[in-house]
């Protein structure tokens, strides 16, 4: 902030944790947040389900709702084979959702705002979808690149387009999540910086500085929505890709 | 709306920052020179794999088991409630039938008692009538006997009285046969009682 410019991107810089140990292990605060996210997910399920109550308490109800939500999504979207992929979809959804929400805690880090992370997840979905498709459909899978009923003469045009759209899936999947999370956090930084800038304007500054704070509060609500929505979109697109993969 | 705000903010941020070369350093997300950037990929893969294994092997089956248990329990309770209701329905039908039977039995019993009482009353009345008729007949016989006895003594009294009157009037005893004939004639002339 020194010199009046806004460092909106500095928040995405990676720093090693635990000093030289983290540096040699390439263990950054982003990775630490992944560990915390995974731990929170497991904690919710293990601690939440410990009572094994017939009438669930709040934490158990939260764990059950999360389970049911993804289970319904997987079986509805993928079909009867959805049960097989349910743990995979659940892991993706919970990991991204908790990652998005951890980022909203001041002083923490949003690992889903890094394209490397989202690209890794999207590539995983792509590879899993491809392997499942090859396993359940064999080489007949490649017939999908030629739309049914289209004239053969158009094949030289249609097939490359279909292949391109198939390959672009992981790109859109990863960029969508990464860009949404990054944009939200850039906005937080901008409005927080406005508050500091306005606060310096003589005696009226502290009054003017309230406005960006109010906007930031509204943005937190928006980001809660975006964080849930992006996790949902990622999970449901994964389900749709897997449905295409298992369809005969 | 939110998208417009975003675009506006990013636009203004870009213009503000352009002069200060804040973006010149590039996005930290694309700083592949930093080993930490690609380190995320390795650690992310490890963490994701561990999380996936823990969830698919242990945590999710645990939740699923609890949900199945509840579903089974609820289904069992529902079945129990359904069978209890059927039993109650059957009991109600049985109760109604029993009540109807009891009502019919009671009605027939009342009919029987009434008809019995009626028959008894009729027989008692008949008995009483017979006794009364017998009494009347006896009484009539007694009356007839008394009247005949009284009629028999009238002749003797009338004959005696006539003898006495004749003896007082004429000073001599009247002929007994003549008096008898006259009394008989007078008695015969009397209107029947």
């Amino acid at each position: 902030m020194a010199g009046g410019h806004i460092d909106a991107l500095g928040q995405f810089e990676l720093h090693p944790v635990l000093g030289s140990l983290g540096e040699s292990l390439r263990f950054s605060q982003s990775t630490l947040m992944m560990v915390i996210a995974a731990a929170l997910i497991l904690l919710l399920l293990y601690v939440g389900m410990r009572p094994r109550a017939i009438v669930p308490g709040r934490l158990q109800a939260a764990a059950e709702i999360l389970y049911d939500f993804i289970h319904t999504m997987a079986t509805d979207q993928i079909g009867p084979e959805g049960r097989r992929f349910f743990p995979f979809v659940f892991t993706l959804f919970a990991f991204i959702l908790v990652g998005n929400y951890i980022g909203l805690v001041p002083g923490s880090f949003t690992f889903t705002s890094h394209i490397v992370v989202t690209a890794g997840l999207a590539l995983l979905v792509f590879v899993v979808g491809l392997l499942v498709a090859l396993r359940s459909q064999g080489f007949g899978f490649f017939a999908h690149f030629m739309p049914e009923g289209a004239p053969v003469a158009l094949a030289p045009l249609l097939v490359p387009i279909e292949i391109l759209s198939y390959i672009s899936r992981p790109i859109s999947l990863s960029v969508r999540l990464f860009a949404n999370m990054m944009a939200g956090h850039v906005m937080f930084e901008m409005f927080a910086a406005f508050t500091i800038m306005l606060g310096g304007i003589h005696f009226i500054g502290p009054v003017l500085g309230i406005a960006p704070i109010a906007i930031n509060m509204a943005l937190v609500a928006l980001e809660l929505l975006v964080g849930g929505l992006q996790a949902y979109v990622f999970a449901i697109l994964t389900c749709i890709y897997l449905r295409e993969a298992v369809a005969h | 709306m939110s998208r417009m705000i975003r675009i506006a903010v990013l636009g203004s941020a870009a213009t503000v920052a352009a002069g200060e070369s804040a973006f010149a350093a590039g996005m930290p997300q694309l700083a592949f020179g930093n080993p930490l950037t690609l380190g995320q990929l390795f650690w992310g893969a490890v963490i994701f794999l561990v999380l996936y294994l823990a969830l698919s092997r242990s945590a999710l089956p645990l939740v699923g088991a609890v949900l199945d248990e509840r579903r089974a329990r609820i289904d069992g309770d529902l079945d129990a409630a359904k069978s209890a209701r059927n039993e109650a329905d059957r009991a109600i039908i049985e109760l109604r039938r029993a009540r109807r039977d009891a009502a019919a039995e009671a009605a027939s019993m009342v009919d029987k008692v009434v008809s019995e009482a009626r028959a008894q009353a009729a027989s008692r009345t008949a008995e009483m009538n017979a006794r009364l008729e017998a009494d009347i007949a006896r009484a009539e016989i007694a009356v007839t006997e008394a009247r005949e006895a009284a009629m028999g003594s009238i002749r003797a009294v009338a004959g005696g009285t006539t003898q006495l009157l004749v003896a007082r009037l004429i000073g001599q005893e009247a002929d007994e046969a003549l008096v008898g004939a006259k009394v008989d004639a007078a008695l015969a002339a009397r209107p029947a009682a």
Side-chain angles (χ1 to χ4, degrees):
Chain A
M1 224 58 59
H5 83 267
I6 299 170
D7 180 17
L9 297 175
Q11 58 175 323
F12 301 114
E13 271 168 23
L14 296 169
H15 305 288
V17 290
L18 299 172
S20 60
L21 181 68
E23 200 153 3
S24 56
L25 288 176
R26 300 183 175 186
F27 201 93
S28 58
Q29 85 273 36
S30 168
T31 319
L32 180 65
M33 289 302 154
M34 291 182 201
V35 174
I36 292 172
L40 282 178
I41 295 162
L42 292 175
L43 212 65
L44 169 68
L45 294 187
Y46 283 125
V47 176
M49 298 313 289
R50 190 185 289 161
R52 299 181 68 98
I54 292 295
V55 179
R58 286 183 204 177
L59 207 59
Q60 190 182 337
E64 286 176 8
I65 287 168
L66 188 65
Y67 179 99
D68 250 356
F69 179 62
I70 302 301
H71 196 267
T72 310
M73 185 203 287
T75 46
D76 281 1
Q77 292 294 329
I78 304 176
E81 294 203 61
R83 297 178 63 86
R84 254 172 60 209
F85 301 108
F86 162 63
F88 178 60
V89 178
F90 185 93
T91 312
L92 272 176
F93 177 79
F95 192 59
I96 294 169
L97 181 75
V98 176
N100 292 348
Y101 281 173
I102 278 182
L104 292 177
V105 178
S108 70
F109 187 85
T110 321
F111 60 78
T112 44
S113 69
H114 266 250
I115 183 75
V116 171
V117 177
T118 60
L121 293 171
L123 273 175
L124 177 67
V125 170
F126 181 77
V127 170
V128 167
L130 192 62
L131 290 179
V132 169
L134 285 175
R135 195 166 155 189
S136 64
Q137 304 175 33
F139 286 100
F141 159 69
F142 293 106
H144 289 301
F145 289 124
M146 181 60 201
E148 241 173 279
V152 182
L154 282 177
L157 187 65
L158 286 176
V159 172
I161 288 175
E162 288 292 323
I163 291 174
L164 204 65
S165 82
Y166 187 75
I167 289 173
S168 66
R169 280 175 178 182
I171 299 168
S172 67
L173 202 56
S174 57
V175 170
R176 183 184 301 114
L177 176 58
F178 145 76
N180 268 284
M181 297 326 292
M182 180 179 165
H185 285 266
V186 166
M187 283 202 296
F188 281 141
E189 181 84 40
M190 302 297 303
F191 282 104
F194 287 162
T195 301
I196 295 169
M197 287 173 165
L198 289 170
I201 307 173
H202 301 300
F203 58 88
I204 199 153
V207 180
L208 293 176
I210 293 172
I213 292 178
I215 292 175
N216 249 357
M217 283 168 68
L219 281 180
V220 171
L222 179 70
E223 283 305 304
L224 281 171
L225 178 70
V226 169
L229 199 65
Q230 288 307 318
Y232 177 74
V233 165
F234 203 102
I236 201 145
L237 283 174
T238 301
C239 287
I240 289 169
Y241 297 158
L242 285 173
R243 177 180 60 195
E244 284 178 14
V246 295
H248 292 287
Chain B
M1 178 63 192
S2 63
R3 175 168 287 198
M4 277 170 57
I5 291 174
R6 251 174 218 218
I7 290 167
V9 166
L10 286 176
S12 61
T15 49
V16 165
E20 313 285 341
S21 75
F23 282 93
M27 297 198 295
Q29 289 97 324
L30 298 178
F32 293 109
N34 186 351
L36 292 172
T37 306
L38 287 177
Q40 287 182 106
L41 205 54
F42 169 74
W43 285 113
V46 171
I47 293 162
F48 192 88
L49 183 68
V50 170
L51 180 64
Y52 174 75
L53 290 177
L55 285 174
S56 62
R57 297 281 156 90
S58 160
L60 292 177
L62 174 74
V63 182
V66 171
L67 291 180
D68 287 347
E69 207 173 286
R70 176 176 313 145
R71 202 165 298 132
R73 169 91 176 265
I74 289 172
D75 286 351
D77 285 0
L78 272 181
D79 284 349
K82 225 172 272 176
S83 72
R85 199 187 56 188
N86 289 343
E87 215 160 289
D89 284 350
R90 257 202 312 281
I92 285 173
I93 289 168
E94 208 161 302
L95 179 70
R96 278 198 190 128
R97 203 178 45 222
R99 207 171 54 184
R100 211 170 42 231
D101 289 354
E105 202 177 330
S108 76
M109 217 175 257
V110 166
D111 281 354
K112 205 170 108 186
V113 168
V114 165
S115 64
E116 258 176 21
R118 209 170 276 158
Q120 209 170 355
S123 75
R124 209 172 281 169
T125 307
E127 200 180 309
M128 186 73 83
N129 283 347
R131 207 165 59 212
L132 289 176
E133 268 165 22
D135 281 358
I136 287 168
R138 252 199 321 276
E140 273 174 358
I141 289 167
V143 166
T144 314
E145 274 174 1
R147 199 174 43 202
E148 273 169 11
M151 286 301 198
S153 56
I154 277 175
R155 194 177 173 275
V157 169
T161 309
T162 308
Q163 287 274 31
L164 209 59
L165 286 173
V166 169
R168 288 278 176 85
L169 282 172
I170 62 174
Q172 68 178 58
E173 288 290 316
D175 181 33
E176 213 169 296
L178 183 66
V179 169
K182 290 289 179 189
V183 166
D184 284 345
L187 279 175
R190 259 178 88 231

